[in-house]
Amino acid sequence: MSVRIRAAVAWEAGAKLSIEEFDLDDPRDDEILVRVEATGVCHTDESSRLGLLPVVYPIILGHEGSGTVEAAGKDVTRVKAGDKVLFTPDYCGTCEQCVLGYTPYCEQAVPVTFTGTRPDGSPRAHAAGGRPVRASFFGQSSFATHSLVTERNIVPVPRDAPLHYLAGFTCGVQTGAGVMLNAIGVAPHQTVAVFGTGAVGLAAVMAAHASGAREIVAVDRVRHRLDLALELGATQAVDTTGQELADVTAQVVRAAGKGGADAILDTTGNPQVILAAVNSAAKHGTISVITSSGKDVTIPPGALLVTGRTLRGTMGGHINPTVFIPRLLDLHAQGRFPVDRLVKNYPFAEVNTAIADSLSGATIKPVLTF
């Protein structure tokens, strides 16, 4: 048996997403069928569409979904029909990293995240004529009216939860917030700098503000993003337009005080910006990178050695989403993590426009609604 769905498919690398009808399998014993109500748009979707990540075509993209449970297999115990859920990136659940709770570092991350099939290699969807279509991108493929997920990659939320903006919580937002609250663990007396104030960077700003950081310096070249960062908790903004990175570094150090910032997030992946971030850190400061341009970063050993600085990588916020997302939802309910300020909604039919607006910076966090 199957469910007829509409979904945005990438037939080949570089092709525009095409909304078409497909047959999605009924849920297996460990699967959950969810009617999607909203799904966030992330740069990873575009990188996958372009073939820059190890996806296999044809594939239905989307990895920040949310919706209402319509059916659940007999082995599912956490949710039932009618429950509201957010989707998170899937993981194998059995490797050492997953058992330790570090699910973003799952040793099977590439096959689980990008191949778009079940662990046994079977597809979840088919096109006309029975052609297999990969419908398990990040374990969800949520650019669709319905998705199949598992208990591993859902977070139940109240039935009145505003999914039209909470859908943006579960990839970029959890990454930025997780760096500040989990990977680095910013304390109230510390100072923070965030290089790049898109959705990830602004989530980091909000999280640093919620943690009580003393100074929060936002760094970007897009003025409206910097203005929003100041509204969301940044204490100072550095506009990099027309500036040399050495001058940017000097401004960040002055703004942070005490010789630089204690906690720094780079969201750009640009090697020169990463070097500027390292040079902006205080003694014993921690700099986290969360993405890569694919180019090498050259850091003089002395920039770390004589200062005690730490340069680290952070995947997915360094969190277990089933534990961390409820923490963010609680902060949001308290008014301390206003993620709705980042979101602009688009109808599902405008998926390609939403992606383009995300890439251009016109919209900080697009969320598609159904």
Side-chain angles (χ1 to χ4, degrees), residues 48-65:
S48 298
R49 182 187 73 83
L50 293 174
L52 303 178
L53 293 170
V55 299
V56 182
Y57 304 93
I59 189 167
I60 299 168
L61 300 175
H63 62 287
E64 296 180 350

Side-chain angles (χ1 to χ4, degrees), residues 61-141:
L61 300 175
H63 62 287
E64 296 180 350
S66 63
T68 301
V69 174
E70 288 200 344
K74 69 180 182 64
D75 295 339
V76 174
T77 60
R78 291 180 62 208
V79 293
K80 61 185 182 302
D83 288 347
K84 301 278 189 180
V85 293
L86 302 180
F87 305 163
T88 65
D90 202 2
Y91 49 90
C92 78
T94 58
C95 72
E96 181 179 16
Q97 294 303 311
C98 288
V99 170
L100 291 172
Y102 300 125
T103 61
Y105 306 97
C106 172
E107 292 166 12
Q108 298 299 315
V110 171
V112 169
T113 301
F114 295 115
T115 60
T117 63
R118 296 182 174 97
D120 65 5
S122 63
R124 285 175 169 171
H126 294 81
R131 180 182 181 184
V133 173
R134 293 168 187 265
S136 188
F137 182 64
F138 278 70
Q140 56 181 275
S141 287

Side-chain angles (χ1 to χ4, degrees), residues 158-178:
R159 293 198 178 193
D160 60 351
L163 299 182
H164 65 285
Y165 62 80
L166 292 186
F169 258 73
T170 59
C171 183
V173 168
Q174 77 175 24
T175 296

